[in-house]
Amino acid sequence: MLDVINPATEAVIARVESDTEASVAKKFAAAKKAQVTWRATSYLERARIVERFRQLLADSREESAKILTSEVGKPLAQSRNEVNGTLARLDFFLAETAERLREPVVLHDQAGGMTERIAHEPLGVVANISAWNYPYFVGSNVFVPALLTGSAVLYKPSEFATLTGQHIAKLWREAGLAEGLFQCLVGGGEVGGWLLDQPVDGVFFTGSYATGKRIIEKVAGRMIRVQLELGGKDPVYIRPDVNVKVAAESTADGAFYNAGQSCCAVERIYVHKDVYQEFVQHFVAFTKTLKSGDPAADGVYLGPLARKAQLNVLEDQVRDAVKKGAKVLLGGERPAGGKGYYYPATVLTEVNHSMAIMREESFGPVIGIQKVTSDEEALKLMNDSEYGLTAGVYTRDGAVASKLMADLNAGSVYWNCCDRVSPRLPWSGRGHSGIGSTLSVLGIDTFLKPKAYHLRLPT
Ligand code: NAD
């Protein structure tokens, strides 16, 4: 059994039957069987079921948001944002996949001679092992295009987002998706491991670098499609020509939204010395206005962390930084007594790259702000990371921004914005941030196998 804990109260809110090695194998067999019919089903019929799923999610948006808040501690307004954003992603996938699947395409046709055409076939049965921080977003980035293109999905939500995973499975059933095509697997890493033991046709993983590395090592040699969306240590740079208050508030939101538990959360800030003091003042003043507390209550911006263990990670990072000379301007200590995995919004200055807080993913509401003296120094520091998910530049100067963005080693770059994902653009990481892309047309193609036809009419 798996206990589902509300991170705001530490109460067990549900007990759910975990999968076993045998049940995982059984679910794989059911998926394999169901996919044979699904791949032969017309795109229009597949899209009709996805449209129904979209409608059911829209109809149950409040319930869906409440379930999410109860198990991951995300403030309710942010859970609602995630559900609404998922509806927009569904719209994107429905429109774009229809376009993409207008196949087969005849590429070359010589009268009386050779015809060449290309067709796209579904991958088959895909394993979707997912993270808890945005279970609707990171899940739907995989299971929606996979189902639309004719694959079956074995979805293993994080053990910290089990109720949401089961809720999503229920919506698919109600939408009329045939049994076996979308199945939720309950459990933690062990269940994920059993899933990888099955002869799946693709592995689509969202989570930490450490787990991603284990996964790619486990399936190495099987020659199946593997996609890993991993962590980040995302930097932003503030040049002296900006509206400092606006930049400070924008980046504070990027750092503390969802208690900093976003893969693309701002994790490091470099500020030009000419506006450093002013930036820090505005940053701290704005951060103080962010209301923390019960994530189910109105107006709360900062809830608890989803996982108790992460509290120790944050404490260690802050302790290490302070030992090496950092100054804590805000937060830095867990509230004494009381229930829930709360950690306050924490702002550190006098930081440098000898400190874990500037190098290792924090995945919590802590931020280091470092002073720099030039664009060159900022660029060097921003690229000084094993990760490469996103990076942002705040400046009025478009030419400087373009040059810096071109030189940043990250899958997504931002100008005067941060912590942003768009369904129209590919979402990909470099280095320890992963391999492969979801979203955009690339995030549809990744679920397709091309087949090249060389056709000579009989004479
Ligand atoms: P995690 O690595 O702890 O777990 C991710 C998933 O892997 C869970 O479902 C877990 O049960 C499963 N798992 C764990 N061990 C496994 C094993 N040995 N074999 C198979 N499956 C296993 O990550 P998390 O705490 O759920 O998520 C947080 C991390 O995810 C952060 O690093 C964050 O940056 C990253 N993330 C990245 C993106 C992105 O798009 N790049 C999006 C969201 C989250």
Side-chain angles (χ1 to χ4, degrees), residues 65-139:
K66 281 186 174 152
I67 294 172
L68 181 54
T69 291
S70 74
E71 63 181 341
V72 305
K74 183 179 299 211
L76 197 50
Q78 297 174 20
S79 293
R80 289 185 187 122
N81 287 348
E82 185 177 346
V83 174
N84 287 330
T86 304
L87 298 175
R89 286 192 191 187
L90 278 151
D91 291 338
F92 168 81
F93 281 127
L94 279 160
E96 205 61 41
T97 312
E99 193 64 29
R100 193 72 194 90
L101 287 184
R102 246 189 251 140
E103 305 283 7
V105 174
V106 174
L107 296 175
H108 179 69
D109 195 358
Q110 286 176 350
M114 291 294 300
T115 297
E116 297 173 357
R117 65 183 176 87
I118 182 168
H120 295 288
E121 297 178 354
L123 274 189
V125 177
V126 304
N128 179 190
I129 300 178
S130 196
W132 50 266
N133 62 334
Y134 287 94
Y136 281 99
F137 281 156
V138 296

Side-chain angles (χ1 to χ4, degrees), residues 130 132 156 159 205 207-208 211 229-231 263 307 361 427:
S130 196
W132 50 266
K156 203 209 74 64
E159 57 274 39
F205 171 76
S208 61
T211 310
E229 307 232 322
L230 310 177
C263 52
R307 296 163 306 160
E361 189 177 42
W427 187 247

Side-chain angles (χ1 to χ4, degrees), residues 97 104 132 140 210 212 255 258 298 327 338 349 380 384 396 427 447:
T97 312
W132 50 266
S140 65
N258 197 22
D298 276 342
K327 243 169 88 183
T349 54
K380 196 168 159 224
D384 179 26
R396 282 183 201 282
W427 187 247
F447 295 98

Side-chain angles (χ1 to χ4, degrees), residues 128-134 138 141 156-160 187-196 205-212 214-215 218 228-232 261-264 267 307 310 361 363 387 389 427-429 433-434 438:
N128 179 190
I129 300 178
S130 196
W132 50 266
N133 62 334
Y134 287 94
V138 296
N141 290 352
K156 203 209 74 64
S158 162
E159 57 274 39
F160 297 99
E190 192 177 29
V191 174
W194 292 329
L195 174 54
L196 297 175
F205 171 76
T206 309
S208 61
Y209 165 72
T211 310
R214 245 176 259 137
I215 285 179
K218 178 153 183 167
L228 307 171
E229 307 232 322
L230 310 177
Q261 302 167 117
S262 307
C263 52
C264 51
E267 290 240 347
R307 296 163 306 160
Q310 198 65 11
E361 189 177 42
F363 223 57
Y387 292 103
L389 193 58
W427 187 247
S428 64
S433 293
T438 51

